[in-house]
Amino acid sequence: MTERQQTRPQAATKPVRWAADTVATMREGARVRLDYSAQSLWRVDRLIEEIRREGPPAEAVRDVLRGFGAYAGEVITRQTGAEWWATGGDHWIRTPDGRLWDPIDEARRCYGGHGSLRLLCRDATAQTGRRN
């Protein structure tokens, strides 16, 4: 562990806010309900795919992808008891079994056509012995 790593609540402050902002934005702007369930990540993967098909540059959707990734991270933390960690401005989660997961980077990978927040959640929850 380095001195720069922080555990909840400090490390969780930003991603929890990003996730909550994403839930509110999707509800109010797109009329999409996100309820922090593993099933809702199907919808998030589809939303990212729709954005990707529209073709905006990654930089233009950076904050949206960060929000979707933080949302997926919150789904995982709520299902597994994982904690947010931060190092040098990057945020990731550690599940109780000690595994590290980067849902924000996975959202970027989804936008590139090479990832899935739903599958990340499935893998993270399966490793901890909990069902999604």
Side-chain angles (χ1 to χ4, degrees):
M1 302 277 166
T2 66
E3 291 181 22
R4 296 172 67 184
Q5 292 176 336
Q6 302 172 352
T7 60
R8 226 180 242 269
Q10 296 86 8
T13 302
K14 287 182 180 180
V16 169
R17 185 180 70 233
W18 297 330
D21 288 349
T22 296
V23 169
T25 299
M26 290 293 101
R27 182 184 62 240
E28 295 167 13
R31 304 244 188 247
V32 173
R33 184 173 176 264
L34 299 176
D35 61 2
Y36 293 97
S37 69
Q39 294 79 15
S40 69
L41 294 175
W42 282 92
R43 182 172 295 134
V44 174
D45 278 347
R46 286 193 308 266
L47 289 167
I48 293 171
E49 175 61 25
E50 288 174 19
I51 294 168
R52 187 170 73 84
R53 274 189 262 134
E54 292 173 7
E59 185 58 32
V61 294
R62 180 180 55 96
D63 290 345
V64 171
L65 296 174
R66 181 184 67 195
F68 283 144
Y71 172 78
E74 274 300 291
V75 170
I76 295 167
T77 63
R78 291 173 184 210
Q79 288 193 9
T80 66
E83 291 186 330
W84 281 100
W85 289 71
T87 303
D90 293 328
H91 293 82
W92 36 274
I93 57 175
R94 180 185 302 265
T95 49
D97 61 7
R99 292 178 154 248
L100 303 176
W101 306 89
D102 191 342
I104 295 172
D105 186 58
E106 189 69 13
R108 291 183 203 114
R109 289 177 37 78
C110 289
Y111 185 70
H114 307 291
S116 169
L117 293 172
R118 176 186 59 84
L119 294 178
L120 178 80
C121 179
R122 183 197 68 189
D123 292 347
T125 57
Q127 294 298 324
T128 60
R130 298 200 185 175
R131 295 185 56 155
N132 53 348

